[in-house]
């Protein structure tokens, strides 16, 4: 079982991300309650951030080649093979920067949507989108 998980962990994680993406899209479009939509939107953002981080990961460990962190032990470099190995194992920093930006923007959007939900509840007395649609006429 451990060998199977170690061998197919990358595939299992990708499949779970796609299942999570499908479930959150279903909840986002078919659940009528506003709070449930906010929860699904938060999970969708986290799933997309996780997917972006996985895109930037380069050296996925296998049972024959376990993961080693890319650490430079000597400087200046005597030969370029150390630098070549470091760049082949290091994680791409662009997805990390994008995810960090997305987390900050996602937090701001979530605060705005919670404020909007508070105003919806004060105005209509419910957060059920079907009921709000019926009350609007």
């Amino acid at each position: 079982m451990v060998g199977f998980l170690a061998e197919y962990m990358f595939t299992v994680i990708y499949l779970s991300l796609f299942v999570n993406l499908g479930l959150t899209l279903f909840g986002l479009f078919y659940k009528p309650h506003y709070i449930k939509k906010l929860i699904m939107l938060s999970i969708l953002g986290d799933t997309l951030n996780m997917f972006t981080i996985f895109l930037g990961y380069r050296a996925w460990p296998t049972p024959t080649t376990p993961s080693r962190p890319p650490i430079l032990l000597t400087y200046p470099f005597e030969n370029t093979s150390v630098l070549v190995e470091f760049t082949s194992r290091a994680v791409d920093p662009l997805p990390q920067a994008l995810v960090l930006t997305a987390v900050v923007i996602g937090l701001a959007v979530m605060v705005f949507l919670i404020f909007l939900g508070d105003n919806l509840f004060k105005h209509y007395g419910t957060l059920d989108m079907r009921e709000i649609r019926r009350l609007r006429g």
Side-chain angles (χ1 to χ4, degrees):
M1 183 67 182
V2 174
F4 173 78
L5 284 179
E7 189 172 340
Y8 296 105
M9 185 62 83
F10 196 67
T11 306
V12 168
I13 290 174
Y14 261 119
L15 286 177
S16 66
L17 283 177
F18 280 111
V19 168
N20 201 13
L21 183 69
L23 289 174
T24 54
L25 288 177
F26 172 77
L28 195 60
F29 290 120
Y30 292 107
K31 291 294 180 184
H33 201 271
Y34 186 78
I35 297 297
K36 290 180 181 176
K37 287 183 182 288
L38 286 184
I39 292 171
M40 292 297 153
L41 188 65
S42 175
I43 294 173
L44 177 68
D46 292 340
T47 301
L48 292 177
N49 287 340
M50 191 75 172
F51 186 73
T52 306
I53 288 291
F54 274 3
L55 288 178
Y57 194 76
R58 291 185 180 158
W60 192 258
T62 63
T64 57
T65 59
S67 178
R68 286 187 342 214
I71 299 173
L72 292 175
L73 297 176
T74 60
Y75 185 80
F77 312 112
E78 291 87 24
N79 54 10
T80 59
S81 66
V82 174
L83 193 57
V84 168
E85 182 183 351
F86 174 77
T87 56
S88 69
R89 290 188 174 272
V91 176
D92 190 7
L94 181 63
Q96 293 180 6
L98 290 175
V99 166
L100 185 62
T101 305
V103 166
V104 172
I105 292 173
L107 177 67
V109 168
M110 192 58 66
V111 168
F112 172 72
L113 290 176
I114 289 171
F115 173 73
L116 191 63
D118 185 42
N119 281 343
L120 274 175
F121 187 76
K122 286 177 184 172
H123 189 71
Y124 292 107
T126 182
L127 289 177
D128 190 352
M129 300 309 287
R130 295 174 297 192
E131 186 70 19
I132 291 173
R133 191 175 302 127
R134 187 186 67 77
L135 290 173
R136 285 184 65 200

